[in-house]
Amino acid sequence: MPTIAELSPITSQWQSLFNLYLTIGTVTGVVVISLLVVNTLRYRDRPGRQNPSDAIEEAKIPAERGTIGAALLLTLIVAGILFAITIGTMATVDLIEKPPKGTLHINVEGFQWGWRFTYPNGRETVNEVRIPAGEVTVFYVTSTDVFHKFQLVEFKIGVDAIPGKVNKIWISTEKAGEYLIQCYELCGVGHAVMAAKLIVMEPSEFKAWYEGGGA
Amino acid sequence: MGLPLPAVLPDLEEAVDVRVLVYVAVWVALVVFTVIELMLVGMPMTPITIALGILGLASLKALLIALFYQHLIGEAAWVKIFYAFALLTAVGLVVGMITGI
Amino acid sequence: MGEIPRNSLRRWLFTTNHKDIGILYLVTSLYFLVAAGALALLVRIQLTYPNMGFLTASAYNQAITVHGVVMLLWFLSPIAFALANYIVPLQIGARDLAFPRLNAMSYWLLLFGGLIAALGFFTPGGAIDTGWTVYAPLNTAKYSPQPGITLAGAGLLLLMASVTLSTVNFLVTIFRMRVKGLSLLKMPMFTWGILLTVFLMLLAFPPFAAAVLMLASDRILGTVYFLAPEGGALLWTHLLWFFGHPEVYILLFPALFALGDVLVTFTKRPIYGKKIVIAAAIAGSVLSLMVWGHHMFTTGINPVWRKIMTVLTETISIPFGVIILAYILTLVGGRIRLRTPMLFALGSIALFIIGGITGVFNSSVAIDYGVRGTYWIVGHFHFTLVGGATTALVAAIYYWWPKMSGRMFSEKLGKLHFTIYMIGYLILYLPMHALVDMPRRVYTYPAGYGWELNNLLATIGAFIFALSWPIFFLILYKSLRSGEPAGNNPWGGWSLEWLTKSPPPPHNYDGEPVVDDSGTIRITTLPTNGGHAYHEHYSPWPITISLAAFLIFLGAILFLPVAVAGLLLLVASVVGLAKEGLAEKFKIPEAPEGARWPFTQVEKVKLGVWMFLYSEAVLFGSLIGSYVFVRLNSAAWPAPGEVLSITNGAVNTFILLTSSLTAVLALASVRVGNQTGLKAGLLATFILGLAFLLNKAVEWNEIFQHGFTFSSGLPAAAFYITTGAHGAHVAAGLVVLAYIIAKAFKGGYTRENHSTVEYFGLYWHFVDIVWVFLFPLFYLI
């Protein structure tokens, strides 16, 4: 298996964005849950612990507690964390949505239950698509019946296949080999087996296959 | 009822005729606006202009009915605020759907 | 009805007391939990290893779909409303909800809705199997012809009727029935949570109701809203997710705010920044209506819109982060007793933190390209809805159980329950986060992608987690049988519900609770409105009306004669209800000087009518929005006058406008005691309304003859569904008007007492306003 970074620029960028979220998320989660646990243990009722000065009493509306300043501080902390990751998202989304030039365009039609691929020269394949390594391939994805999602499983990327609408997604990878394409939106009883093979070939082999018209 | 009457409309005892006049006047306005809507159809303007004109008149009619027939004009402020919020929610949905296409 | 013994079946069928209905909700929702939980276990067994053959693809799809729908709509919301029914009136010192019979009807509609949806299992093709999101066009008859989906749609419509009644009821109750001195800000947290929940429900359910209505029409009448690509998938996703995101908070708020009450009691300190928490929740609610696009990132919607939705969705984490931090700060300086409710409360906060953080991942349009449709998402929403909401609701049930049952439960067993619950939970749901690339909703998966171990772990965890529930039920059962008497206030809480007996008497308080200026709550024994003034009351009509609705839907979908029986029952029930008198016998005494801001001047029923109209405004907004959406998406549309006669529409417009005038003149007449004017005005309104409907019938017949049929395309779908829904509102108005006319001819309305005429007018003018928009949209543009 190739590593994520070798697969495709958008996959590696996606993975590093995910890792960024994961790091910040883990740190935040650990800090906040620790605060919860530490405060629970620290202020546990033990023999000798006194009631707080503003302790609640039966039949008495509780006193007010907390300040606006504290609220603003909390808001700023949460907002600051979110701001950092939003910037990462914006950079990645542009890469995903704007494919580079010089590309192979393949039309993809999802149907119950399989995938049909049409090449620029009119060549059609079903449940198997071959692309050249090292080149940008753009898939124009639609559906002939119900709502599907065209997911390139190892590449961790995909887009919805919707009747009457064409969505695009691109990859480019240096690594020849066989990968999995799978439907990721429930589309009926055949959903789990609505898969196709993505075969990445060396450019010369691809050229021979593409122009040869053989199987 | 025991509720204070809308301050904008005169007290009912002596002013019932005024009330009825207001209701009838609103009805006349509604009919006139409808007639203008009908006249706008087929005018030599772009379809968008016609559509906006007609919907503008419809909004005006809706406002008149809400203010005077539903008596919103003298209703508690929060009844109006919630009404506006519900309408805003609906409009937000429609705008979101249209611009998201 | 006369006195009914408290231990009889008739009591449970006919009760309208909020505490009885709370218990009905509790039992029903726990039943649905067990049923849907069993389905989840079947799913986990099937996924234990790759290529298992335990369930077929069809059975698997039914299992996950029914699991999802039932857990969301027939377990989580109803169990929250079980507590809301029981506790909210107690917490604000009311004798009952504002409209007890409507409350009973809410419950029965929910139950019959669940039953009709479950019937799908016994029809050819089985129950609904499209996933709980029911995406179009898989949901249409072309791709899913089985009646199971139509039955589920009918169940959803009954559920939405139930929800609408509940929301109106709780809003009016909380706004109008608080005891003297209990301002909104002084209310306990749980009541705040329900107030926000029902307000969101009021605005978020109507788009979904519109979508299900359109789907039902597509499936039963053959319209093509969701089959045509110009409507279809995107139209459904817009409407579904406009509902779907607020729904998350609808499910969360009761739980999150119940935590507030539990935390205060067991830390013995006030909530840190209660106003801040409430403000944050309001901000979150408003934002939740603006973020539905994040469920549609990969559908190819406008790229600018995707970025805006990303930012808005990340913004929505801010208020919830603030609420959680405020809850943690609440612990500081307290005197924390780790009793069972508190353990579950703390556990819920910890799990919700994780679910909230994984939610931030999903708000990113870039990450969503990868994780949409994967087990990562399944892990995320189970952390929020099971870890966050369900755990907190378990805490809440433990917390209020002694109040409801009058008995304590075993602390030791409670702690055992907590331990098994948490261990099972974590083994079940944590591994799902490692399945970032595994598709969800697949009944089988190939080996060799590194998915095996985590699936096996999740299945093991599922069984441990499942085991914790019988322990829970056993604890409650043992408590009922042999628990120590609880006393009024076993936990040392401050709020009103702890000041009365456990369980409370039917009238809740022996006396009149008031909050004085120093914040002390006293139960006065003033004879003004003494505790026993409120008698128990029973009505058979809530259950028969709900049953009738059930039969009508069943007949329409499976076997028509059943619908006739349903219709007869409905007529009989409505007549019975009308005879009971619309308000007389069921008048809940209001506290003499109750706190009613901000609706001090708006009478209870009137406020209810307004609240109902707000949801109606969003319903028609959604229907009109759907029409505009498909129209702008379509290349061609009939020109004005081409299919629909402008003259005909104009005539109907003048008829309806005039009927509003006659309605308001009837009101003006009765205000000065002019009975003739009242009767004439009402009769004229009725005749005009009838004329409107007759004219519509003639028009429909004519265009039908000319080939503009239900199934002839999107223009027909939009026209028939939208104006049909409007026509149904006119017809419903005429039914109520017939009752009012009958009462008017018996001299039932006087100068002092004519509020029904006024409130009917509010509705009638609203229906008129809708037509004011439908006429130009369908006939002139």
Side-chain angles (χ1 to χ4, degrees), chain A residues 1 14 17-26 28-30 32-33 35-37 39-46 48-72 74-80 82-83 85-90 92-94 96-98 112-113 144-147 149 151 153-154 156-169 178-180 182-193, chain C residues 57-58 61 64-65 129-131 133 135-138 143 182 186 229 233-234 237 264-265 267-276 296-301 303 306-308 310-311 314-315 317-318 321-322 324-326 328-338 346 349-350 353-354 357 360-374 376 433 436-444 446 449 451 489 492-495 498-499 515 518-522:
Chain A
M1 283 283 280
W14 182 90
L17 181 68
F18 188 84
N19 291 346
L20 171 73
Y21 273 68
L22 197 61
T23 314
I24 295 177
T26 309
T28 313
V30 167
V32 178
I33 293 179
L35 282 175
L36 177 74
V37 173
N39 281 311
T40 304
L41 296 178
R42 181 152 167 226
Y43 296 105
R44 232 169 94 190
D45 191 14
R46 275 181 294 245
R49 183 177 284 285
Q50 300 291 310
N51 268 344
S53 58
D54 57 1
I56 57 153
E57 289 168 52
E58 179 176 295
K60 186 102 184 137
I61 303 280
E64 289 205 26
R65 203 185 148 192
T67 61
I68 290 292
L72 284 178
L74 296 183
T75 310
L76 282 178
I77 294 171
V78 185
L82 290 166
F83 184 67
I85 53 181
T86 306
I87 291 173
T89 287
M90 294 306 165
T92 308
V93 76
D94 282 341
I96 292 176
E97 290 175 359
K98 296 193 180 108
Q112 282 179 319
W113 288 275
T144 56
D145 42 44
V146 304
F147 197 127
K149 186 189 180 198
Q151 179 93 353
V153 175
E154 289 89 345
K156 305 207 168 172
I157 209 81
V159 76
D160 293 338
I162 300 172
K165 202 160 170 62
V166 179
N167 292 321
K168 61 182 185 194
I169 191 82
E178 233 185 82
Y179 303 93
L180 181 64
Q182 165 95 42
C183 179
Y184 270 44
E185 185 60 65
L186 182 58
C187 57
V189 286
H191 168 59
V193 294
Chain C
S58 162
N61 286 352
I64 53 160
T65 306
D129 66 349
T130 54
T133 48
Y135 266 16
L138 181 63
Y143 298 108
L182 189 71
K186 285 181 183 153
L234 281 185
T237 41
V264 166
T265 299
T267 55
K268 277 195 169 292
R269 284 202 75 182
I271 285 282
Y272 187 91
K274 183 177 174 185
K275 285 180 191 161
I276 297 162
M296 300 171 66
F297 279 151
T298 54
T299 57
I301 50 169
R306 287 189 292 226
K307 287 190 180 171
I308 293 172
T310 295
V311 173
E314 295 193 341
T315 311
S317 326
I318 298 175
V322 168
I324 290 299
L325 291 174
I328 292 174
L329 284 171
T330 301
L331 303 173
V332 174
R335 186 175 172 185
I336 301 172
R337 290 168 297 157
L338 290 175
L346 293 168
I349 294 175
I353 290 168
I354 301 173
I357 288 172
V360 176
F361 286 62
N362 308 339
S363 71
S364 158
V365 54
I367 290 182
D368 189 68
Y369 274 105
V371 296
R372 180 167 173 78
T374 68
W376 166 271
H433 293 84
V436 183
D437 48 1
M438 176 169 161
R440 62 188 280 207
R441 291 167 165 167
V442 288
Y443 80 101
T444 184
Y449 288 88
W451 298 335
N489 190 0
W494 66 269
S495 44
W498 303 111
L499 304 183
V515 182
S518 70
T520 306
I521 306 161
R522 282 175 299 115

